Amino acid sequence: MFKVKVYVTLRESVLDPQGTAVKNSLSKMGYEGVEDVRIGKYMELMIEDKGQDLESAVKDMCGRLLSNPVIEDYRYEIEECVVS
Amino acid sequence: MKFAVIVFPGSNCDVDMYHAIKDELKEEAEYVWHDSESLEGFDGILLPGGFSFGDYLRTGSIARFSPVMKEVEKAAKAGKPVFGVCNGFQVLLEAGLLPGAMHRNESLKFICKNVSLKVENNETMFTSAYDKNEIISIPVAHGEGNYYCDEETLARLEENGQIVFTYHGENPNGSVKDIAGIMNEKGNVLGMMPHPERAVDPLLGGADGLKLFKSILKQWRESHAVKA
């Protein structure tokens, strides 16, 4: 079994109104020096080892559904895990 | 003319769309469930607003893989009019039938009110009944109508006259260049955030949206007229 951790973030060129609202809130709470907040998504996929080309399957999933390449970037980590 | 009103789990403007066609335009309309694998016999495809699949992940991102979308793509390729409103627009963007992407309104608020739109291009099958630069009043109701595209795409949209509607006066969501609605290069796929199907009867606050449906019908009649 593999655990795939997928991180989806907004492209740098894209404004993040949610991140801006959170940044402003942190400033109001008194935290100094918070210059930028960007909000993204974190997903965990459990994938059974069927001898498939996991790497290319994950890339495919990320490009087609898990992220929108027009406004988002993604990265992922694949971990092998033992299921008891 | 026979229209398909595509219904996804979570669509909620399908009935308004049906009403606009059936009772105001007085043409045929039929609901088509999202797992249908055929759109045969339909002359126009309508993707209504709502919250398909709960807006999970990204608006329109899951609906875009519904079986019916393959048929919508085919209809678009065949040159049939395909029109997406609000969530329907978001689905068309996710499907790549229109360029760009949608994200959260700049204000982070859900906006529900009438807005003024400017008809930027009236030489389309969707807007021929309007005057160029005509200002019309149409309601919006969305939380994610902040249209985004990169500069290269924007230049292409402008050059080809693909920007069909812009917000006039106040931009409610922060969209690039005040964009409210765009079409594909071929001119047969239109997506817009405002809801013309909710503006088809003066009794309900205005009928500025009806001309859009009349334009589609006019184009269809002209292209199907029996030539003597």
Side-chain angles (χ1 to χ4, degrees):
Chain A
M1 189 71 91
F2 293 99
K3 182 191 263 185
V4 181
K5 298 175 173 177
V6 178
Y7 304 85
V8 177
T9 50
L10 273 179
R11 291 210 159 164
E12 278 198 31
S13 56
V14 179
L15 294 172
D16 179 6
Q18 257 191 109
T20 308
V22 171
K23 186 197 80 176
N24 292 342
S25 188
L26 288 172
S27 301
K28 277 185 204 145
M29 288 161 76
Y31 294 103
E32 285 172 27
V34 182
E35 294 207 347
D36 198 16
V37 176
R38 307 279 292 170
I39 293 178
K41 292 174 192 147
Y42 170 67
M43 299 165 227
E44 277 182 3
L45 285 63
M46 299 300 290
I47 302 178
E48 200 183 329
D49 184 6
K50 295 201 160 178
Q52 72 272 53
D53 183 350
L54 195 60
E55 188 99 16
S56 78
V58 169
K59 273 187 191 155
D60 216 41
M61 293 178 205
C62 287
R64 293 179 67 203
L65 179 60
L66 304 183
S67 79
N68 180 341
V70 178
I71 47 169
E72 292 169 329
D73 288 319
Y74 66 85
R75 67 186 172 85
Y76 57 87
E77 294 159 10
I78 299 177
E79 283 172 15
E80 206 169 344
C81 54
V82 184
V83 184
S84 52
Chain B
M1 183 174 186
K2 192 174 171 188
F3 289 89
V5 177
I6 309 290
V7 186
F8 299 100
S11 293
N12 67 6
C13 301
D14 41 339
V15 180
D16 300 82
M17 200 65 108
Y18 185 89
H19 163 76
I21 299 300
K22 205 87 175 175
D23 304 323
E24 301 299 334
L25 192 66
K26 305 203 184 307
E27 290 295 314
E28 280 183 71
E30 218 172 85
Y31 294 114
V32 176
W33 186 234
H34 76 113
D35 63 3
S36 167
E37 286 177 359
S38 168
L39 285 173
E40 230 186 276
F42 291 105
D43 308 300
I45 316 296
L46 305 169
L47 288 91
F51 299 84
S52 58
F53 295 90
D55 271 357
Y56 295 159
L57 195 61
R58 291 180 311 281
T59 54
S61 66
I62 299 176
R64 172 247 185 286
F65 289 104
S66 280
V68 78
M69 286 308 294
K70 278 211 174 92
E71 300 307 306
V72 174
E73 272 172 51
K74 271 190 217 160
K77 258 197 198 129
K80 289 184 184 175
V82 174
F83 177 42
V85 170
C86 200
N87 189 229
F89 183 14
Q90 294 161 341
V91 174
L92 291 174
L93 290 170
E94 281 285 340
L97 287 170
L98 290 172
M102 210 56 90
H103 62 136
R104 276 288 184 100
N105 292 347
E106 211 168 48
S107 64
L108 298 176
K109 288 186 183 125
F110 188 96
I111 306 156
C112 186
K113 61 177 182 184
N114 275 342
V115 296
S116 289
L117 297 182
K118 187 171 163 189
V119 181
E120 295 282 346
N121 185 352
N122 71 335
E123 292 174 358
T124 82
M125 66 162 78
F126 302 98
T127 53
S128 60
Y130 296 102
D131 293 327
K132 185 165 169 63
N133 296 329
E134 186 175 337
I135 306 298
I136 57 175
S137 176
I138 305 279
V140 290
H142 60 253
E144 297 203 18
N146 188 350
Y147 176 79
Y148 171 86
C149 66
D150 59 28
E151 280 177 25
E152 204 180 301
T153 308
L154 182 64
R156 224 171 41 235
L157 289 177
E158 286 179 320
E159 207 182 294
N160 299 331
Q162 288 172 253
I163 300 173
V164 181
F165 297 105
T166 54
Y167 298 108
H168 179 68
E170 185 205 3
N171 177 338
N173 51 38
S175 65
V176 165
K177 284 275 172 166
D178 304 326
I179 285 174
I182 55 163
M183 62 178 188
N184 63 343
E185 219 176 307
K186 211 160 121 188
N188 69 313
V189 178
L190 173 73
M192 67 192 289
M193 288 314 294
H195 289 267
E197 82 283 6
R198 291 190 196 173
V200 290
D201 185 343
L203 255 182
L204 300 176
D208 283 356
L210 192 55
K211 281 192 208 167
L212 192 150
F213 299 102
K214 283 186 170 167
S215 302
I216 302 175
L217 180 61
K218 182 170 164 265
Q219 200 273 344
W220 182 81
R221 281 189 176 151
E222 282 168 5
S223 65
H224 287 78
V226 179
K227 291 185 180 84

